[in-house]
Amino acid sequence: MSLSIDEIQQLVEPARVHSSVYVDEELFQLEMERIWGRSWIYVGHESQVKNPGDYYTTSIGTYPVILIRDAKSKSLHVLHNRCGHRGAIVTQRQCGNAGVLRCPYHGWTYKTDGSIHAIPHVGGYKDTEFDKNDEEFSMKKLPRVEVYRGFVFACLSEDVEDLSDFLGEIADTIDNMCDRSPEGEVEVTGLNCHRFIHPCNWKFFLENLHDAMHPMCAHAGTSDAVRSYLSTMPEGTSPPPEAEIIDPFAGSYDFFDSMGVTGLDKGHGYMGGKKSIFSHYEMYPEYLEAMYSAYGKERTEEILSFNRHNACCYPSSTIRDGIQSIRVLRPVSVDSTIIESWTFRLKGAPEKLLQRTLRYSRLINSPGSMVGPDDLDCYYRIQESAKSKSIEWIDLQRYFGQDIKDDDKDTAPGTSDLAIRNQYKAWLNYMSREA
Ligand SMILES: [Fe+2]
C-alpha cells in the first residue's frame, strides 16, 4: 500500500470530503482491512439458522463467510467460507441444512464447527506436515462472534471491544424493535430478502440514510402521484394502506428538521427519536391489546413512543425499529455494493403488523419499488460524477458548527449533514490505524 496515514487524513476535512474516497481502489482495499476487518459486522439473525446444521452464507467486507448452527452443540459459529485445502468457496448456496459441508473441488468435508470431517484418499498425506487437526486446514472460525437479542455480529479480528460497547446507544434501536413484540422477540420472515446490487460505493448508501434533504426532491414523483390519486377519492373513502407509507416521503423540510438527527460514537447515528416517518402509523387495537397484556399500559406507551428512522450501525447495517426491517451492506468493489433488505415478524403480534412490514418493504426497498429506484438513480449519478473527477470535494456543511453537543452524542435539525460528518469522523479514526 502506498497511501500514508498523512495522505489519508488530508482527504477528510470537518465539513467536506475528497471525492477520491468513493473511487480509489487502494482506499477501498484499506477500508476492507481497517474498517470492515476490525469492527463488528452484522451477519444475520439467529432465526435464520434455527435448527442444528442450518446455515446461511454471506460476506464480511469482501470475505465470504457462513453463519452455521453446530449440528451437535447447537451453538452458533461464523466460519470463513473457504476450503482449508486450496481455498475454494465451499458452498455458494444461500442457505440450507447440512450435517457436513463438502467442498465441490476435491471433496474435503467439514463438520459444522469447521473442523475436518474427512479427506478423500488421505494416505497421500502420510509422512508430510499435513495435520488433520491443525486449524490451518479447517474452515476457520472467525475469532469473535456475539449475539445481541438474536442479531448476530462477527469480527474478522480478535482485537475488538465487546459488542455491547461497540453498539452503545444504537443497541436501543434493536431493543425497541424486539420490545415491540409482545413476546420481546423478532424473527426473520422467510429465509431470504430483497437483495440487489447498487452501482455505488458503500459509503454513498450509508450517507443517504441520514440525508433528509433528498426525499421531497428525489421521491417527489412517487409522493406527488400518491397525493394526486388520493385527492380524486370520494369523500369519506378510506385511503388504501399504501398511502400511510408513501405519504411521509413528501414531508416538508420543516417536518424532517423537527425529526432531528443524532451522531454517536464509532460512526453510528439515527434520525428521529420521538418522531419519525413511522410515528403516525395506524395503531391496530388488537395489537395494543396484546401489548397492554404483555407490558401494561405505561410501558407499552413508552415502547411505542420510541421512533427512530434509519438507525445506522456503522458500517454494516441500518435498522428501522418502527417497521421492523434491517438493511445490510455488502461491499463488492469500490463502485458496487450489495444491499439486502430483511423484514422481521414481531412474535405474538397480529398478522396485520407483518403485512404492513412487508408492504413497506415492497413499496420502499424492493428493486421494483416506488421509492428505492429513485435513490438508485441518485447513487449512480454521484458515483459517476466522483469517477469523472469533475468535482474534487463533496460538501457537508449543512448546519455545520451548530451541533448541540451532549456527553457522547451530537444532535442537530434533521436536514443537517451532521450524521454524514460523524460517519467520516469514524472513517478517519479507523483508517488512521495501520495495525
Ligand atoms: Fe431516498
Side-chain angles (χ1 to χ4, degrees), residues 208-209 211 214-215 218-219 249 364 371-372 374-376 378-379:
N208 171 269
L209 302 172
D211 178 341
H214 88 278
H219 304 308
F249 284 85
I364 309 299
V371 169
D374 298 333
D375 294 313
L376 211 57
C378 297
Y379 299 141

Side-chain angles (χ1 to χ4, degrees), residues 26 78 83 85 100 103 144 155 159 178 180 184 191 208 224 306 310 321 356:
E26 187 183 338
V78 180
C83 182
H85 176 214
V100 291
C103 176
R144 300 290 298 274
C155 182
D159 183 22
C178 298
R180 283 169 179 262
L191 286 175
N208 171 269
D224 288 354
F306 183 103
N310 281 338
D321 48 275
R356 180 159 63 193

